[in-house]
Amino acid sequence: MRILWGMSMMLAAVRAAAGPVTELQPQQLEAFIARHEYVVVQLTSPDPGCGYCKGADQTFDQAAALPHQPALAFVRVQWTPWRKIPDFSKLMKVYGVPTQYVFNKGKLLGDISGRPPAAPAFLAKIDEVIADPPADRVAAEPQAAAQEAPAVPLTAAEQGALRQMIRRDALKLVTGMCANRFPDRAKAYQDALQAWSGARQAGLNQAATLMLARTSRADAAVMGKLVDEEQKAMQAWHTGKLGLSMQKAPTAADCDKIAAALKDLP
């Protein structure tokens, strides 16, 4: 189970209204990418056996609905069963789903693996990939790079608040998935998350203020690093502390264990 968690940031580029997500068949993807300047591709599956695909499409849709760069096109390719990954060798190597890939003028810039984080953070991740293009694009845009504002260092308190937001968003994804799988236990999972969040409301409020103030690409890189660090920490909590598998969808017992463990999670 690869879970990505998000915190919220606005993109530094000029924004415009988003378009809908285009659904394509695998064989249609190459031509679509060739026709658009920037393309964000989500590969996922509606197969119930792909537990970590659940909800990935919703977050992707939410990100596409937010203001973003005018040239950015969002597209999704799905198939079932999820393990039978189509051949995308002309475009990229695919090792698992869900995964998101960012293209510019037909060239792969990078990927964002796993379920997307919260929509604003996912847009920040996309912006981070675009901001770190291949060497030939860097050479063509030295002036733009030189004009990029440096990140303002985060204080320890600010980092702590943002980490709390990242964890909160991670827990929302997990408890939401558990509530969808086991609706008779949904209230217990939601109550556990509410109790955890309520005890940290001051920090979450501070993080919400920070996400509005930190808008440069350099800030996106700094905050993206926090997301990656918290992802690893939460994975360690999931497998080491709770002893749960990351290779299969959670059972009711797994979900109950996660909810019970929230009271001891920092």
Side-chain angles (χ1 to χ4, degrees):
M1 176 183 188
R2 179 173 174 79
I3 305 175
L4 293 181
W5 296 277
M7 16 91 14
S8 300
M9 271 197 61
M10 302 306 244
L11 292 173
V14 175
R15 308 300 182 167
V21 174
T22 301
E23 297 277 356
L24 295 179
Q25 295 299 314
Q27 63 272 20
Q28 298 173 311
L29 182 59
E30 185 175 3
F32 183 93
I33 290 174
R35 294 195 305 269
H36 294 79
E37 183 177 5
Y38 283 99
V39 181
V40 184
V41 180
Q42 181 178 63
L43 302 183
T44 186
S45 174
D47 185 349
C50 183
Y52 308 118
C53 294
K54 294 177 181 177
D57 57 340
Q58 297 174 14
T59 305
F60 194 79
D61 290 350
Q62 291 166 5
L66 292 176
H68 57 69
Q69 297 178 54
L72 203 58
F74 286 77
V75 60
R76 178 163 47 241
V77 179
Q78 303 189 73
W79 61 86
T80 188
W82 70 273
R83 287 188 175 89
K84 292 191 175 181
I85 300 174
D87 183 8
F88 295 104
S89 58
K90 291 183 179 180
L91 297 171
M92 64 266 187
K93 294 182 180 179
V94 182
Y95 299 103
V97 292
T99 303
Q100 293 68 222
Y101 298 85
V102 182
F103 290 84
N104 173 230
K105 297 179 180 178
K107 180 180 295 184
L108 178 64
L109 298 185
D111 66 87
I112 304 168
S113 60
R115 183 166 36 207
F122 181 51
L123 287 179
K125 280 281 190 180
I126 295 171
D127 198 43
E128 184 180 341
V129 172
I130 293 173
D132 187 21
D136 56 343
R137 291 189 63 229
V138 172
E141 301 175 0
Q143 184 175 359
Q147 294 174 349
E148 186 64 49
V152 178
L154 292 168
T155 66
E158 289 172 336
Q159 289 190 42
L162 288 167
R163 289 180 188 278
Q164 286 180 342
M165 176 173 278
I166 295 167
R167 292 195 174 195
R168 191 276 310 279
D169 288 348
L171 296 172
K172 284 177 67 175
L173 289 174
V174 174
T175 55
M177 179 172 64
C178 286
N180 289 334
R181 287 176 60 82
F182 310 107
D184 58 320
R185 298 286 296 149
K187 188 176 186 304
Y189 303 145
Q190 293 164 358
D191 288 348
L193 175 60
Q194 182 59 43
W196 187 92
S197 300
R200 296 159 180 80
Q201 196 58 56
L204 294 174
N205 290 342
Q206 181 184 14
T209 300
L210 282 170
M211 76 182 187
L212 296 175
R214 300 305 184 101
T215 59
S216 73
R217 293 189 177 198
D219 286 324
V222 171
M223 294 192 183
K225 182 179 179 181
L226 288 180
V227 173
D228 292 339
E229 291 174 355
E230 283 304 303
Q231 174 189 329
K232 293 177 182 178
M234 291 296 280
Q235 287 177 341
W237 177 74
H238 188 273
T239 59
K241 182 71 174 179
L242 303 186
L244 301 180
S245 173
M246 299 176 74
Q247 305 303 319
K248 61 181 182 180
T251 64
D254 292 339
C255 289
D256 289 347
K257 190 171 186 179
I258 291 170
L262 290 189
K263 65 179 183 297
D264 297 321
L265 180 67

